[in-house]
Amino acid sequence: MKRKNGLFAFGVLLLIGISISISSCEKKDPPVPDPEASSIQSASGNSQSAEVGQVLTNPIEVVVKDKDGKVFSGTTVSFAVTEGSVSPATAKTDASGKAKTSWTLGSTEGTQTLIVTAFKADGTTKLTGSPITFTATATQKKATSIELVDGEDQTADAGTVLANSIKILVKDQNGDAFAGAAVNFAVTEGSVSSASEITDANGNASVSWTLGSTVGTQALTVTAFKADGTTALTGSPITVNATALVKEAASIELISGGDQSGMVQTTLAEDIIFIVKDANGDPFPGAQVNLSLTEGSVLQNAIGTNAEGHATTKWTLGPTEGTQTLSVTAFKADGTSPLTGSPIVINATGTGLVAQRISIQGGGDQTGKANSPLLYPILIRCTGYSNRIEGQTVYFDVTEGSVSPVSGLTDADGFVSATWTLGPTVGTQTLTVTSFEPDGTTHLDYSPLLVNATVEAGNETGTVTDIDGNVYQTVKIGEQIWMAENLKVTHFPDGTAITKVTGDTDWAALSTTDNAYCW
């Protein structure tokens, strides 16, 4: 039984081994490698032409394929130019294996180059055909012709600006607007806003034209040249005509400055401004406006109106309080017919003089001794514009020491002064000067006014008082304080009287420890 069992077991193992051996000998297909980008080639966009700085009409396009010649997607392609720009600079190939970019040419005329590169999956091995070079030709844009766009055959009064600007257009050889061309404008009389203008991005250049004084036809000439500076553009020169009409002043009116009030003998705050207009209601330049006063003064007795038709003056009132009058007259070209609105009578009210500001006229920044008056008085002046103000109250105040008087009235020349006795503190001491407008609360300009003085170290003086009430001056010598007067006390600090000796015999009889005094 044991032997049979042994053979049975061996037979089973043999069958299992055969089964395993048969299974391991089954045939399998080899693995299929993943496809890989292999080559790159130009698809379209080479050898184009465009003006410098412009985008090429067609994009630059390449195609990537694998080793079997099938299109390959997902490969990164780089585009680079030495000048100009590309967009995008890198792109992945699409499902058709293509990648493309837009190329904007640089500013150099002639051949320009774009380089395309692409690599295999390892990022270092270039695809077959990489790099690819594309070329394009950049052509120079040139101004070739000029034409009038707007501004012909206008009419306006002589000496005035035409309503519409003179506008021209410069084109290139393709008939497109040309930017950057110099265009010259010239008139035989009158003026233009600019003698030369550069065409903008739309190829336009324009100026405003102010007619001259001659009635009738006036002309403006426009010229422009090619890059050589001597060959005229097609259409150059252009002559633009305009008609100048007779212009005459018709009316005058006050714009501002009426019914003011101010201190007598001062200039009113607001300018007096008039405007002269023509029959159309437009401002009239060059008209003469005449001014006359009952008192006071103006800048000029006769003023010409400016380009806006304005005549402006400043009015300084006379010395009389109350109403003062300015009369304004203007005439037509015949010199005798008054303009509508002429004469204009303007009233102003003169008020009494009041103080406007205070100032220090003397005594500032002195150096003195403590507890002593300064050498020079503090001199203050009150003025109203350019006038001296008499009777103005001025206040003086110090933080230490004293000042006399503490307030005073200005004299006929606007002056008031005070004596300043310094306090004991070494260093800077300050006196404050104040004065107010008639309302009693509004400070004059520069009020409060601070005046400084300096007490120098070593110049200090002071006082001490004894038990009897005698006051003694002191002085500083070095770092010590000394009495500057003899002692006059007759009692000890506790109030006990000190013995008074009246004769030499009694004095001689005193011992060295006795206390006494004598005169």
Side-chain angles (χ1 to χ4, degrees):
M1 289 297 289
K2 289 182 179 178
R3 187 174 181 181
K4 288 181 179 179
N5 288 342
L7 290 171
F8 176 76
F10 174 78
V12 172
L13 290 172
L14 179 61
L15 289 173
I16 293 172
I18 293 170
S19 176
I20 293 171
S21 175
I22 292 171
S23 176
S24 63
C25 292
E26 290 180 356
K27 184 178 180 180
K28 292 184 178 179
D29 293 330
V32 178
D34 292 334
E36 183 182 25
S38 177
S39 65
I40 186 172
Q41 63 189 57
S42 170
S44 65
N46 196 25
S47 301
Q48 296 183 72
S49 176
E51 292 174 350
V52 292
Q54 299 300 306
V55 181
L56 292 178
T57 303
N58 299 316
I60 304 303
E61 191 171 44
V62 295
V63 62
V64 173
K65 297 180 180 180
D66 63 16
K67 63 184 181 61
D68 296 324
K70 296 179 180 179
V71 295
F72 189 87
S73 64
T75 298
T76 299
V77 178
S78 300
F79 305 91
V81 289
T82 54
E83 65 173 301
S85 62
V86 289
S87 179
T90 61
K92 288 184 179 295
T93 54
D94 59 18
S96 63
K98 291 182 178 180
K100 62 183 177 181
T101 190
S102 176
W103 183 4
T104 300
L105 297 179
S107 60
T108 302
E109 187 176 3
T111 300
Q112 297 187 26
T113 302
L114 180 148
I115 305 296
V116 184
T117 54
F119 298 87
K120 292 186 177 181
D122 61 11
T124 57
T125 306
K126 291 181 180 180
L127 300 186
T128 301
S130 175
I132 303 172
T133 300
F134 287 80
T135 61
T137 302
T139 60
Q140 189 66 48
K141 192 174 182 180
K142 299 177 181 179
T144 58
S145 65
I146 185 172
E147 60 190 67
L148 179 66
V149 175
D150 191 23
E152 176 66 58
D153 296 327
Q154 296 184 73
T155 298
D157 291 328
T160 64
V161 182
L162 293 176
N164 298 324
S165 297
I166 309 303
K167 184 177 181 181
I168 64 90
L169 171 65
V170 173
K171 296 180 179 179
D172 63 15
Q173 63 269 34
N174 300 319
D176 298 324
F178 183 86
V183 180
N184 306 306
F185 301 87
V187 290
T188 53
E189 64 174 302
S191 62
V192 287
S193 57
S194 176
S196 180
E197 285 289 320
I198 303 299
T199 54
D200 60 21
N202 297 316
N204 294 134
S206 61
V207 294
S208 60
W209 180 6
T210 301
L211 298 178
S213 58
T214 302
V215 175
T217 301
Q218 298 186 26
L220 178 148
T221 303
V222 185
T223 55
F225 300 91
K226 294 185 178 180
D228 60 14
T230 57
T231 305
L233 300 186
T234 301
S236 175
I238 299 172
T239 299
V240 185
N241 293 315
T243 303
L245 305 175
V246 175
K247 185 177 181 181
E248 187 175 23
S251 65
I252 185 172
E253 59 189 77
L254 177 68
I255 294 179
S256 63
D259 297 320
Q260 294 186 71
S261 178
M263 287 190 300
V264 295
Q265 297 181 316
T266 65
T267 301
L268 293 174
E270 188 178 355
D271 289 350
I272 315 298
I273 305 177
F274 315 93
I275 186 170
V276 174
K277 298 178 180 179
D278 62 18
N280 298 320
D282 297 323
F284 185 88
Q288 179 173 300
V289 177
N290 306 301
L291 310 174
S292 62
L293 296 159
T294 54
E295 61 177 299
S297 62
V298 289
L299 294 177
Q300 295 173 293
N301 292 326
I303 311 170
T305 55
N306 62 16
E308 288 84 33
H310 291 175
T312 303
T313 191
K314 292 183 180 295
W315 182 3
T316 300
L317 298 177
T320 303
E321 293 186 33
T323 301
Q324 298 185 29
T325 302
L326 169 68
S327 295
V328 183
T329 56
F331 300 92
K332 294 184 178 181
D334 59 15
T336 57
S337 301
L339 302 185
T340 300
S342 176
I344 299 173
V345 177
I346 305 168
N347 293 321
T349 302
T351 61
L353 294 174
V354 295
Q356 296 293 316
R357 61 183 66 89
I358 62 172
S359 59
I360 183 169
Q361 300 292 307
D365 297 319
Q366 297 184 68
T367 299
K369 295 181 178 181
N371 299 308
S372 299
L374 291 172
L375 180 61
Y376 301 106
I378 308 303
L379 185 62
I380 301 297
R381 193 177 201 188
C382 291
T383 56
Y385 295 107
S386 60
N387 301 291
R388 308 161 185 174
I389 303 300
E390 182 179 4
Q392 178 72 19
T393 301
V394 177
Y395 301 91
F396 301 91
D397 183 46
V398 291
T399 53
E400 62 176 299
S402 62
V403 62
S404 179
V406 294
S407 67
L409 299 177
T410 55
D411 60 18
D413 291 318
F415 289 109
V416 64
S417 64
T419 300
W420 182 5
T421 299
L422 299 175
T425 303
V426 174
T428 300
Q429 298 186 25
T430 302
L431 178 144
T432 303
V433 185
T434 55
S435 190
F436 301 91
E437 293 184 7
D439 61 13
T441 57
T442 304
H443 282 269
L444 300 187
D445 291 346
Y446 310 117
S447 171
L449 182 66
L450 302 181
V451 183
N452 293 323
T454 303
V455 176
E456 291 185 336
N459 288 331
E460 302 94 321
T461 61
T463 60
V464 293
T465 304
D466 64 24
I467 190 65
D468 293 335
N470 298 309
V471 179
Y472 306 92
Q473 294 293 321
T474 63
V475 64
K476 184 176 182 180
I477 302 176
E479 296 300 320
Q480 297 179 328
I481 303 297
W482 293 76
M483 290 178 60
E485 301 179 61
N486 290 327
L487 188 66
K488 297 179 286 185
V489 69
T490 60
H491 293 80
F492 290 107
D494 63 2
T496 304
I498 303 173
T499 301
K500 181 178 181 181
V501 178
T502 58
D504 291 342
T505 301
D506 292 337
W507 183 262
L510 294 174
S511 70
T512 58
T513 60
D514 291 330
N515 297 301
Y517 74 94
C518 70
W519 293 106

